């Protein structure tokens, strides 16, 4: 049985005091859930949010991490810096990182390998663009992202990996993939993981859907066989909505 995940991705939103206010608004309401609750916050508030959520079931993670431990990489954050503040989770390969910051399947792979080396859990993001779906090549695109992301990643690392399928055309647009389309792609990703690894890994890996997840559609998405949770942008910014998502 895979434990469901509701993960908020705050992107470039919120100050520290707004982050604290959010935690005050959710912590008692999500404390008894069977869902794993994660929030990926801006780097400026990683340490304070990590400290503020101590003793709760809320996992605080980074939105990105560099693949080198140190060096001349202005503006980047290394795995050692995350470990230094006790942060053990990060998103890797979000489509906005790929689109605006030149992340490639190769850098994504290097980041995953480096995270594994440092015992940092990863949520790997994959997903196709609208024109790729219109050309009916979405499965090839996602398969290539998966195969390249996991090059040299061993089966025993998989308890530290979650995958999020986020079709780019559904992010921040209000357009959700239909629950059937999302489930079909997620089942496809699971079968590719079986091809790359084995049945046990593919049955156990958690695969989330992201793209305009909100209280109105979360239950239907979560009722699909292969969808194990949501990676949520806009609706994760409001405490009340986020609580509704966790308690779907
Ligand atoms: P929205 O939920 O705002 O569509 O964002 C999805 C996303 O990109 C989460 O990583």
């Amino acid at each position: 049985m895979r434990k469901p995940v509701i993960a908020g991705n705050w992107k470039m939103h919120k100050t520290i005091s707004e982050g604290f206010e959010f935690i005050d608004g959710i912590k008692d309401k999500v404390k008894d859930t069977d869902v794993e609750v994660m929030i990926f916050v801006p780097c400026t508030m990683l340490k304070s949010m990590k400290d503020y959520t101590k003793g709760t079931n809320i996992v605080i993670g980074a939105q990105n991490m560099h693949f080198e431990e140190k060096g001349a990489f202005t503006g980047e954050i290394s795995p050692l810096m995350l470990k230094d503040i006790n942060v053990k989770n990060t998103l890797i390969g979000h489509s906005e990182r790929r689109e605006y910051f030149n992340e490639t399947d190769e850098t994504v792979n290097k980041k995953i390998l480096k995270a594994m080396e440092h015992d940092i859990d990863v949520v790997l993001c994959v997903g196709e663009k609208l024109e790729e779906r219109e050309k009916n090549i979405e499965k090839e695109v996602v398969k290539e992202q998966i195969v390249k992301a996991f090059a040299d990643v061993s089966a025993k690392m998989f308890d530290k990996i979650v995958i999020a399928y986020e079709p780019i055309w559904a992010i921040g647009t209000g357009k959700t993939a239909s629950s059937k389309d999302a489930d079909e792609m997620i089942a496809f990703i699971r079968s590719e993981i079986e091809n790359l690894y084995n049945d046990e890994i593919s049955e156990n890996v958690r695969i989330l859907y992201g793209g305009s997840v909100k209280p109105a559609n979360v239950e239907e998405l979560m009722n699909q066989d292969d969808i194990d949770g949501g990676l949520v942008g806009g609706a994760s910014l409001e405490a009340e909505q986020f609580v509704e998502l966790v308690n779907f």
Side-chain angles (χ1 to χ4, degrees), residues 9 11 94 96 166 170-173 210-213 231-235:
N9 172 10
K11 308 190 179 185
H94 191 279
E96 287 149 19
E166 299 201 306
I171 295 178
T173 57
S212 300
V213 175
L231 179 57
V232 190

Side-chain angles (χ1 to χ4, degrees), residues 3 35 51 67 115 117 121 136 181 199 218:
K3 183 172 182 172
V35 169
D51 294 346
F67 52 78
E117 193 182 315
D121 289 12
N136 291 321
D181 285 345
D199 181 46
V218 66

Side-chain angles (χ1 to χ4, degrees), residues 113-247:
L113 289 169
K114 189 53 80 172
M116 297 297 106
E117 193 182 315
H118 288 285
D119 228 19
I120 292 172
D121 289 12
V122 160
V123 177
L124 164 71
C125 305
V126 296
E128 82 283 1
K129 298 182 181 132
L130 181 59
E131 60 264 32
E132 292 163 338
R133 182 159 279 259
E134 282 170 349
K135 283 191 218 148
N136 291 321
I137 57 165
E138 67 273 13
K139 287 198 172 121
E140 285 92 318
V141 169
V142 170
K143 178 177 174 176
E144 188 172 339
Q145 290 172 340
I146 293 280
V147 169
K148 290 187 169 168
F150 292 136
D152 297 324
V153 173
S154 70
K156 67 175 191 306
M157 295 171 180
F158 256 76
D159 58 342
K160 306 196 65 58
I161 289 172
V162 169
I163 301 169
Y165 166 59
E166 299 201 306
I168 295 170
W169 48 271
I171 295 178
T173 57
K175 270 191 211 163
T176 321
S178 72
S179 50
K180 194 179 133 289
D181 285 345
D183 195 50
E184 188 184 320
M185 179 62 95
I186 288 177
F188 171 75
I189 294 171
R190 205 176 290 291
S191 70
E192 284 307 315
I193 295 296
E194 184 177 350
N195 292 339
L196 288 173
Y197 296 95
N198 57 46
D199 181 46
E200 193 189 333
I201 303 271
S202 79
E203 277 306 311
N204 288 330
V205 66
R206 290 172 300 169
I207 311 181
L208 320 182
Y209 166 77
S212 300
V213 175
K214 45 189 179 262
N217 59 26
V218 66
E219 191 179 347
E220 188 183 334
L221 287 163
M222 295 300 284
N223 280 338
Q224 306 303 310
D225 289 346
D226 277 285
I227 301 180
D228 301 317
L231 179 57
V232 190
S236 75
L237 295 170
E238 291 285 326
E240 239 170 73
Q241 286 196 54
F242 190 72
V243 168
E244 281 186 59
L245 295 175
V246 172
N247 299 323

